[in-house]
């Protein structure tokens, strides 16, 4: 079943197109893949990036939209990504980058396209674990800028994942969050009651 990729805000896309057209922005990005690209660079597969600040075994307690990420394609593959962020003045280009999350995101999206249930793809960052996941949201009609992970949504950890978490293995939110909660809970101090 195809993924229902949400449309990015038009101003966010415009900021990425403007940055791609700026030799200064591309040169200062320090992304060799953009500098040495042979052919046109196009932003594709816009994904909202949500931040999960706090969570409990019962579920996500706080998520917020951080911006939109576009994969930058040159020919047959994504060579970099571009992030945008919402400012008081509207959408702004944030940065170009490259690295393992680019290929990992593409792989997770291809994997998700083979699933029988339709999903709305998003990215969910868990800064306290240094973890990024592809969040497959079951409500394809919901505004991609809002919402919390539902218990039945899927999270696909992207590589590199934290130790002990297998990348590219889909987990239901209700199954993965209790495991992750133990990783962010501070250990009791020596000599303190348990």
């Amino acid at each position: 079943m195809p993924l229902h990729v949400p449309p990015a805000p038009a101003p966010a896309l415009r900021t990425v197109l403007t940055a791609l057209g700026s030799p200064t922005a591309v040169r200062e990005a320090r992304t060799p893949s953009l500098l040495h690209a042979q052919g046109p660079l196009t932003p594709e597969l816009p994904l909202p990036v949500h931040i999960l600040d706090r969570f409990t075994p019962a579920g996500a307690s706080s998520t917020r939209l951080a911006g939109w990420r576009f994969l930058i394609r040159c020919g047959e593959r994504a060579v970099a990504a571009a992030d945008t962020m919402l400012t008081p003045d509207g959408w702004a280009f944030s940065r170009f980058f490259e690295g393992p999350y680019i290929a990992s995101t593409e792989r997770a999206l291809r994997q998700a396209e083979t699933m029988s249930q339709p999903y709305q793809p998003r990215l969910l960052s868990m800064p306290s674990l240094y973890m990024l996941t592809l969040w497959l949201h079951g409500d394809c009609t919901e505004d991609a800028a809002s919402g919390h992970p539902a218990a039945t949504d899927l999270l696909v950890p992207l590589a590199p994942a934290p130790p002990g978490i297998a990348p590219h293995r889909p987990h239901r939110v209700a199954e993965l969050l209790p495991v992750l909660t133990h990783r962010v809970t501070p250990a009791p101090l020596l000599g303190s009651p348990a």
Side-chain angles (χ1 to χ4, degrees):
M1 180 121 339
L3 292 175
H4 295 270
V5 178
L13 175 59
R14 278 194 301 273
T15 67
V16 171
L17 290 170
T18 300
L20 279 172
S22 165
T24 303
V26 171
R27 187 173 51 254
E28 290 179 0
R30 293 185 176 83
T31 51
S33 58
L34 289 179
L35 289 171
H36 305 302
Q38 300 295 316
L41 298 166
T42 56
E44 296 181 357
L45 290 170
L47 296 172
V49 180
H50 292 262
I51 304 290
L52 181 58
D53 292 316
R54 294 181 314 275
F55 51 92
T56 66
S61 62
S62 176
T63 59
R64 60 186 163 81
L65 179 68
W68 283 79
R69 177 167 295 165
F70 298 80
L71 294 180
I72 306 299
R73 188 165 301 282
C74 180
E76 295 294 314
R77 65 184 188 96
V79 296
D83 279 348
T84 62
M85 62 183 180
L86 190 58
T87 69
D89 295 326
W91 287 99
F93 170 75
S94 175
R95 67 185 178 128
F96 289 120
F97 68 95
E98 57 187 54
Y101 284 130
I102 308 301
S104 188
T105 301
E106 276 195 309
R107 177 180 171 185
L109 287 167
R110 282 192 309 271
Q111 187 180 351
E113 286 175 342
T114 66
M115 296 179 175
S116 58
Q117 180 179 341
Y119 288 103
Q120 182 189 82
R122 304 170 174 198
L123 292 172
L124 184 65
S125 175
M126 300 175 206
S128 59
L129 294 171
Y130 301 100
M131 184 173 175
L132 183 64
T133 66
L134 178 64
W135 168 16
L136 299 173
H137 190 53
D139 184 354
C140 297
T141 62
E142 187 174 42
D143 179 5
S146 64
H148 296 286
T152 56
D153 287 352
L154 296 178
L155 296 177
V156 182
L158 300 180
I165 304 292
H168 299 288
R169 183 171 168 248
H171 301 271
R172 294 224 177 273
V173 167
E175 297 163 358
L176 185 60
L177 285 186
V179 172
L180 297 178
T181 301
H182 295 294
R183 290 175 172 254
V184 295
T185 303
L189 298 173
L190 292 176
S192 63

